[in-house]
Amino acid sequence: MIDFQKTEEQELLLESLREVYKRGDFEDYFKECDKNHVFPEKAADAMVEAGFAKLGIPEKYGGTDCDFTTLIFVAEEAYALGWPSLCWVNQALQVDDIMAFGSEEQCRTILDLGLKGIKPFTLGFTEPQAGSDSSAMAAKVERRDGKVIINGHKTFNTAANRSPYMLCLAREQKNENPYKDFSMFLLPMNLPGVQIEPLDKIGNWMMQTCEVYMKDCEIKESDLVGVAGQGFYQLMKNFEVERLVACAANVGMARCAYDEAVRYAGVREQFGKTIGTFQLIQEKIVDMKIKIENMQNIVYKAAWKKSTGQSIMIDSSLVKRYTGQAAFQVIDDAMQIMGGIGYTNDCRISRLWRDQRVYRIMAGTEEVMVHTAGRALIKEALKK
Amino acid sequence: MKVIACCKIVPEEQDIIVRADRTLDTGKAVLKLGQYDLPAIEEAVRAAEHTSGRAALLCAGTAVIDNSKLVKAALSRGADELFLVTDEALAAADASQTAAVLAAAVQKIGFDLVICGEGSSDIYAQQVGAQLGERLNVNVFNAVGRIRLSGDSIIIERVLEQEVEVLEVPLPAVVSVTTDINLPRIPQLKDIMAAGKKPVTRWGFGDLGVAVRSPLEIISTLAPESQERKHIIVEGDGDDKIDIFWQQIQKEL
């Protein structure tokens, strides 16, 4: 009844992924890109050419049908090999967001970008005063003289400098309940009035995160995605699955750090023997491994529940909170095993350590996960 | 054009354990397609694509090769169908026996061109292609670095020590290709999914009317003895340094 065996097709797909990675010999290139704060274009192109952008985009639109459990395995494996955080080429979930609510023209535009592995849009959600409290979003849409005008200030916009669009949530100012007042727009980032300013971050240097100012940006009524006032609920459609895929990055990055640190422990000699013979190092390795197993189990189980039609409302919060913290602990222990070398930018673990930290903050902080799951768990208990 | 690529299922090198007595333990090794066979498969698929023909894979070995993941792995690389010949006698088959089995199989399948890798990933005797051509009594060439299709013949390039030999070879023919003839495609998910639906034909020795008897007897297969590193480092590029370097090498030869 519990079966952890990947299908032969999934195994072969992961073998292909490893083959592309091996053929590309990307490690030094990633180091260079990280140092120069640029996106790893060449590596991304190789993955797109090998078909990894098409996965999960429906066949009839030029993609390759693929269930999201497989998408999770692929993302996890890519990060486990050392793929840079936030830079994976598969945009199937963003494409699906638009396919669900977008017009025919919007779908065509976003599909075309997704098939090329280009992140179609930066998510225009967070604002300086609206972090965990999304109801405080203040960007607004106004209709004047037959024109649709957006004003607002968004922040922590991943890939704002690379994505052609922002999926912008703005208030209609018609309903006092903010959640029923947001509309969703596909806002072209090259519009006059859009100003993009990169944030100076401690990690994730290969993918920019920006502030975006929108001053009297004139869009068209046809840029509305779905139904006016329904923007927030539309955004929630793939929310849980998107959260699981982000958590696959946690598992992958933790595996990447673990693999390197364990190999090092097996060969690094101090006091005339390998450091792996010291029990304090062994303890770290064992606890790291337990956390990786736990992370995989909780992610895979949630994926299985979702694919069998069960609710993962609570699960997705548990997974997000647990994998963010556990991955950080694994990577931190990996750095400790490496010693001083692990703290240098020459060692990949330092990049993982800088990059993964934000997964405890972005897309719902680990504290908000307590808020969402905690209440639901008590409610569930009272129902029994 | 009807093209057949021959491929061998071999143990993953990294999984092979060398025992203390230098014998090899392949018991725990994962099985995979031979590395040198991938360019052969790719070249066969390209030839079939360019001529609207058909590319078949042919693989001989013991029953372990009839494994659904291996079958999908092979067929995901673009060929239209797979022929598996299995018999326990192939466990320790040498080049001569393998060539005899493959010859019977390709005759039964029918072919214009047979493409082999430059050698198997395990034994690497580089013999099977040549012996197969001889048994079939058709043109046979090894070290082929390029194949161009030209009606009833192929134009091949062989990179030799001093020159590149360009030959027009009437079909049918058997060629062994080098690893730099192409960059084999990496299967995508749709190729992998399609692979499971492609036809597989399974034959035993009885179906082919072959019985193999080897003129060779393998007495032992041993890993080379490991040696301590010499730790001799010659730095610099002056004539005197090169002399020292050369003397050190000569001492070992």
Side-chain angles (χ1 to χ4, degrees):
Chain A
M1 114 154 166
I2 296 175
D3 188 355
F4 287 97
Q5 182 70 49
K6 291 185 176 80
T7 66
E8 288 168 357
E9 284 76 11
Q10 286 168 337
E11 284 179 359
L12 290 169
L13 182 64
L14 297 181
E15 282 174 21
S16 286
L17 176 70
R18 289 190 281 267
E19 211 170 322
V20 180
Y21 202 91
K22 192 171 153 199
R23 202 179 269 185
D25 197 14
F26 297 132
E27 255 339 284
D28 287 341
Y29 175 63
F30 288 149
K31 210 174 274 178
E32 199 61 26
C33 290
D34 196 41
K35 190 176 161 191
N36 297 329
H37 293 220
V38 294
F39 183 79
E41 301 279 0
K42 237 172 43 190
D45 288 349
M47 284 296 169
V48 172
E49 199 189 329
F52 286 97
K54 287 184 188 172
L55 294 184
I57 295 176
E59 186 104 33
K60 57 182 172 182
Y61 301 118
T64 308
D65 294 332
C66 179
D67 61 287
F68 73 85
T69 305
T70 305
L71 288 180
I72 285 172
F73 288 153
V74 170
E76 178 194 327
E77 193 67 20
Y79 289 116
L81 290 168
W83 194 267
S85 162
L86 304 182
C87 295
W88 185 229
V89 296
N90 191 278
Q91 318 293 346
L93 291 171
Q94 283 209 340
V95 170
D96 192 61
D97 286 337
I98 299 302
M99 299 297 281
F101 304 106
S103 67
E104 203 175 304
E105 194 191 334
Q106 287 168 339
C107 291
R108 255 202 317 274
T109 309
I110 299 305
L111 262 171
D112 186 48
L113 292 166
L115 288 170
K116 288 180 190 152
I118 299 169
K119 191 174 165 68
F121 51 80
T122 180
L123 189 57
F125 194 70
T126 304
E127 297 180 8
Q129 77 293 348
S132 293
D133 179 10
S134 42
S135 69
M137 260 187 279
K140 58 183 182 183
V141 53
E142 293 161 287
R143 290 171 176 80
R144 290 187 230 135
D145 314 324
K147 290 177 182 168
V148 186
I149 310 288
I150 301 259
N151 275 288
H153 173 192
K154 298 286 179 183
T155 191
F156 300 116
N157 293 102
T158 307
N161 60 320
R162 296 179 51 80
S163 296
Y165 296 92
M166 174 194 283
L167 192 65
C168 178
L169 257 69
R171 285 200 67 157
E172 290 277 357
Q173 304 166 93
K174 286 175 185 159
N175 196 321
E176 291 210 356
N177 179 350
Y179 295 111
K180 292 180 177 170
D181 196 46
F182 294 119
S183 288
M184 184 187 260
F185 297 95
L186 212 44
L187 180 130
M189 293 297 278
N190 59 2
L191 277 187
V194 173
Q195 193 189 336
I196 303 168
E197 287 183 9
L199 294 161
D200 187 9
K201 306 171 289 181
I202 65 166
N204 287 289
W205 292 340
M206 283 180 255
M207 176 54 86
Q208 283 193 6
T209 305
C210 310
E211 294 214 59
V212 181
Y213 299 90
M214 295 165 296
K215 191 165 185 303
D216 292 328
C217 290
E218 189 183 332
I219 56 170
K220 298 189 288 285
E221 198 56 62
S222 60
D223 292 326
L224 175 73
V225 179
V227 179
Q230 288 293 306
F232 188 82
Y233 301 102
Q234 289 171 197
L235 196 64
M236 293 299 121
K237 186 214 168 220
N238 279 329
F239 196 66
E240 292 164 343
V241 174
E242 278 160 353
R243 188 165 276 172
L244 286 190
V245 174
C247 292
N250 281 326
V251 189
M253 286 188 278
R255 278 176 53 199
C256 184
Y258 170 86
D259 289 345
E260 197 158 331
V262 174
R263 273 197 303 272
Y264 187 73
V267 295
R268 166 71 172 169
E269 288 188 10
Q270 288 288 275
F271 307 104
K273 42 190 169 181
T274 62
I275 60 170
T277 57
F278 298 116
Q279 290 185 336
L280 279 173
I281 298 291
Q282 290 172 6
E283 184 189 37
K284 280 190 179 47
I285 290 169
V286 169
D287 287 342
M288 288 159 81
K289 185 66 177 168
I290 290 170
K291 283 174 188 136
I292 289 171
E293 293 283 326
N294 280 342
M295 282 192 278
Q296 287 177 321
N297 290 344
I298 198 171
V299 170
Y300 299 169
K301 186 179 173 194
W304 165 79
K305 277 179 90 170
K306 181 77 186 174
S307 63
T308 50
Q310 302 175 61
S311 163
I312 57 163
M313 200 270 282
I314 295 173
D315 303 67
S316 74
S317 298
L318 303 183
V319 172
K320 171 77 170 58
R321 178 174 167 86
Y322 180 70
T323 62
Q325 293 179 338
F328 184 75
Q329 289 158 1
V330 169
I331 297 167
D332 196 56
D333 276 347
M335 182 181 275
Q336 198 67 22
I337 290 171
M338 298 302 292
I341 293 288
Y343 194 67
T344 67
N345 283 333
D346 217 30
C347 176
R348 181 164 63 179
I349 289 172
S350 68
R351 162 160 70 82
L352 296 164
W353 192 77
R354 285 186 275 109
D355 291 358
Q356 192 277 333
R357 182 62 179 84
V358 80
Y359 287 71
R360 295 173 54 191
I361 302 170
M362 67 173 197
T365 66
E366 58 197 27
E367 291 76 18
V368 164
M369 295 305 107
V370 174
H371 176 70
T372 51
R375 288 174 304 164
L377 286 168
I378 292 167
K379 208 164 137 189
E380 193 181 63
L382 293 177
K383 267 194 278 180
K384 282 176 188 163
Chain B
M1 180 187 279
K2 197 155 185 190
V3 194
I4 300 172
C6 299
C7 44
K8 184 172 184 181
I9 303 297
V10 295
E12 168 67 51
E13 302 87 0
Q14 289 174 355
D15 299 342
I16 299 173
I17 297 163
V18 179
R19 297 191 192 95
D21 62 358
R22 290 165 54 205
T23 56
L24 302 177
D25 176 7
T26 56
K28 292 203 175 79
V30 171
L31 294 174
K32 63 164 193 179
L33 273 174
Q35 199 60 34
Y36 301 107
D37 299 332
L38 302 182
I41 296 173
E42 178 67 31
E43 205 60 23
V45 171
R46 289 184 192 183
E49 281 170 356
H50 288 156
T51 55
S52 305
R54 206 168 162 77
L57 302 180
L58 171 60
C59 193
T62 60
V64 293
I65 68 167
D66 192 358
N67 161 299
S68 80
K69 188 181 163 194
L70 286 172
V71 165
K72 286 173 194 163
L75 285 169
S76 67
R77 294 180 181 268
D80 300 294
E81 61 182 323
L82 171 67
F83 293 86
L84 285 177
V85 182
T86 55
D87 192 289
E88 291 318 294
L90 287 164
D94 61 21
S96 157
Q97 294 166 297
T98 306
V101 173
L102 295 179
V106 297
Q107 268 170 332
K108 190 164 168 132
I109 299 165
F111 70 99
D112 298 304
L113 177 63
V114 177
I115 305 180
C116 301
E118 67 181 29
S120 60
S121 285
D122 50 0
I123 308 294
Y124 196 66
Q126 297 178 277
Q127 290 292 313
V128 171
Q131 294 194 24
L132 173 60
E134 179 61 24
R135 283 177 183 273
L136 294 168
N137 196 24
V138 298
N139 293 310
V140 57
F141 289 93
N142 69 349
V144 173
R146 190 169 175 207
I147 299 173
R148 277 178 290 158
L149 306 167
S150 171
D152 291 339
S153 58
I154 52 172
I155 297 161
I156 59 168
E157 289 180 16
R158 302 176 72 226
V159 180
L160 306 178
E161 277 186 19
Q162 302 290 334
E163 71 268 331
V164 176
E165 189 177 64
V166 181
L167 299 165
E168 185 167 355
V169 180
L171 297 174
V174 175
V175 295
S176 299
V177 298
T178 60
T179 50
D180 52 9
I181 191 167
N182 58 44
L183 188 61
R185 69 193 66 186
I186 296 174
Q188 301 192 5
L189 183 58
K190 64 174 172 9
D191 306 316
I192 295 166
M193 299 309 288
K197 301 185 186 102
K198 291 178 178 175
V200 180
T201 307
R202 294 172 170 84
W203 286 331
F205 281 3
D207 300 302
L208 297 176
V210 286
V212 296
R213 217 179 36 241
S214 177
L216 282 179
E217 187 190 347
I218 296 171
I219 295 164
S220 76
T221 304
L222 296 177
E225 258 176 292
S226 67
Q227 293 203 347
E228 283 291 309
R229 285 170 189 266
K230 300 283 177 199
H231 293 291
I232 302 166
I233 297 168
V234 184
E235 286 184 64
D237 55 4
D239 283 349
D240 53 332
K241 300 287 182 196
I242 292 169
D243 261 353
I244 298 171
F245 181 69
W246 175 234
Q247 281 163 20
Q248 292 294 344
I249 290 179
Q250 266 188 321
K251 236 195 317 188
E252 298 300 327
L253 289 177

